[in-house]
Amino acid sequence: MPEGDTVHILAEYLGSALGGGLLTRAHVRGQVWRGLCGRRIQGVCSKGKHLYLELDGGLCLRSHLGLYGSWHRYRLGEPWRKPERQAALVLELEDWVYVCFNAREVELVRSTGFESQDQRRRLGPDLTRENPEAELIRGRALSLNAPDTPVVDLLLDQRVACGIGNVYKSEVLFLTRRPPLLTLETLSLGDFADLYGTAARLLRRNLAGGPRITREIPDGRGPLWVYGRAGLPCLVCATPLRRERLGRNPRSTYWCPVCQGPASPE
Ligand SMILES: [Zn+2]
């Protein structure tokens, strides 16, 4: 599942592979975009889970992988490992083809124009790059969300801070021992520092690639504390872990009913 760390690594890889390259063909969802041919890719960067390919002439291709997106690289003429109809974005450069399959969003924006600026401004600080002040995060959280917003939704709100996906959401709540349905209005500045500081630390810990690790104990019991472990014993207290679709946009949440308490704190 692509989260902020995955997209950060991807941007670095694509930046070194594509930076300076000349586009010979570009398709977006099966349509040829002639205006992109002959443009040079100036660089690739990420913010949260959004990837930006900067092109010359002030254009920028923004993409978001969503839950199922992935990038592949092929030699020109080499068969693809996924069907063509799943290709959201196809970029041809001399001998290579870069294909982004099943992206949730692809759009062309002006690098300096209103749309792109506005889009990036809407995203909160990128936790793969910085550990922002708790005061700043709390300010964004309160100005963008109702006071009774559950923390499971808050952590996934990329406008507050970006980079946290569904895996880190459960891991951060377990590591900070917070119940998943704690509400925004009850969070102190210390809670914000703890939650977002932990998320920033985990995301940055995983920027080198390889399997995602939130638990660095080499006992063969896995690299994650709770995610994907419903019904298995908690690695701290041995109570069976719970999984439920929680929040206003219900997504799977894993937690320990003893270490973190019941989903909704009494
Ligand atoms: Zn436990």
Side-chain angles (χ1 to χ4, degrees):
M1 193 180 294
E3 299 200 17
D5 52 351
T6 325
V7 181
H8 183 111
I9 295 165
L10 183 64
E12 298 216 326
Y13 169 75
L14 288 175
S16 60
L18 294 173
L22 193 67
L23 280 177
T24 51
R25 257 164 93 81
H27 299 228
V28 177
R29 306 206 190 273
Q31 307 277 320
V32 179
W33 281 17
R34 291 187 208 291
L36 297 185
C37 300
R39 288 188 191 270
R40 216 166 264 289
I41 299 175
Q42 297 196 319
V44 182
C45 63
S46 65
K47 183 160 185 191
K49 296 186 265 180
H50 297 257
L51 185 79
Y52 299 88
L53 273 102
E54 307 275 358
L55 307 173
D56 55 11
L59 292 177
C60 177
L61 270 169
R62 179 187 70 84
S63 57
H64 188 297
L65 292 175
L67 288 182
Y68 307 108
S70 57
W71 280 83
H72 291 197
R73 181 174 86 145
Y74 300 103
R75 288 219 171 261
L76 213 55
E78 184 186 345
W80 296 357
R81 294 190 303 278
K82 283 180 185 282
E84 197 174 333
R85 66 187 147 76
Q86 292 180 15
L89 177 62
V90 181
L91 302 174
E92 280 186 27
L93 296 95
E94 296 185 15
D95 301 336
W96 295 98
V97 189
Y98 290 81
V99 190
C100 177
F101 290 101
N102 301 310
R104 191 176 80 194
E105 296 162 14
V106 176
E107 69 167 345
L108 187 65
V109 292
R110 299 212 69 86
S111 309
T112 51
F114 170 75
E115 274 182 290
S116 172
Q117 290 297 321
D118 180 57
Q119 216 283 327
R120 286 187 218 191
R121 205 177 297 136
R122 276 194 284 137
L123 294 172
D126 185 344
L127 299 172
T128 65
R129 293 195 164 74
E130 53 180 313
N131 181 7
E133 293 289 328
E135 190 71 63
L136 172 80
I137 300 285
R138 183 166 74 164
R140 293 185 75 89
L142 289 167
S143 68
L144 292 161
N145 292 278
D148 59 348
T149 303
V151 69
V152 282
D153 289 317
L154 193 65
L155 290 173
L156 294 178
D157 185 345
Q158 306 295 305
R159 301 167 307 167
V160 174
C162 60
I164 304 175
N166 214 36
V167 177
Y168 286 119
K169 176 193 78 180
S170 291
E171 294 297 302
V172 164
L173 288 170
F174 177 78
L175 283 165
T176 58
R177 303 293 190 263
R178 301 304 201 280
L181 293 180
L182 208 58
T183 56
L184 167 56
E185 61 204 337
T186 65
L187 298 179
S188 66
L189 208 51
D191 291 326
F192 276 97
D194 215 6
L195 290 164
Y196 286 88
T198 302
R201 178 175 63 76
L202 294 179
L203 281 158
R204 282 184 291 178
R205 156 70 183 79
N206 285 286
L207 290 182
R212 192 172 280 142
I213 296 172
T214 62
R215 180 176 178 271
E216 307 204 47
I217 304 174
D219 58 3
R221 296 201 290 171
L224 299 177
W225 287 101
V226 289
Y227 188 84
R229 303 191 70 250
L232 293 173
C234 170
L235 295 167
V236 171
C237 74
T239 305
L241 296 175
R242 304 276 311 272
R243 169 189 174 273
E244 258 182 66
R245 290 165 66 83
L246 297 177
R248 292 188 177 143
N249 302 303
R251 301 277 308 273
S252 285
T253 302
Y254 298 83
W255 83 101
C256 173
V258 171
C259 292
Q260 294 165 261
S264 294
E266 283 113 28

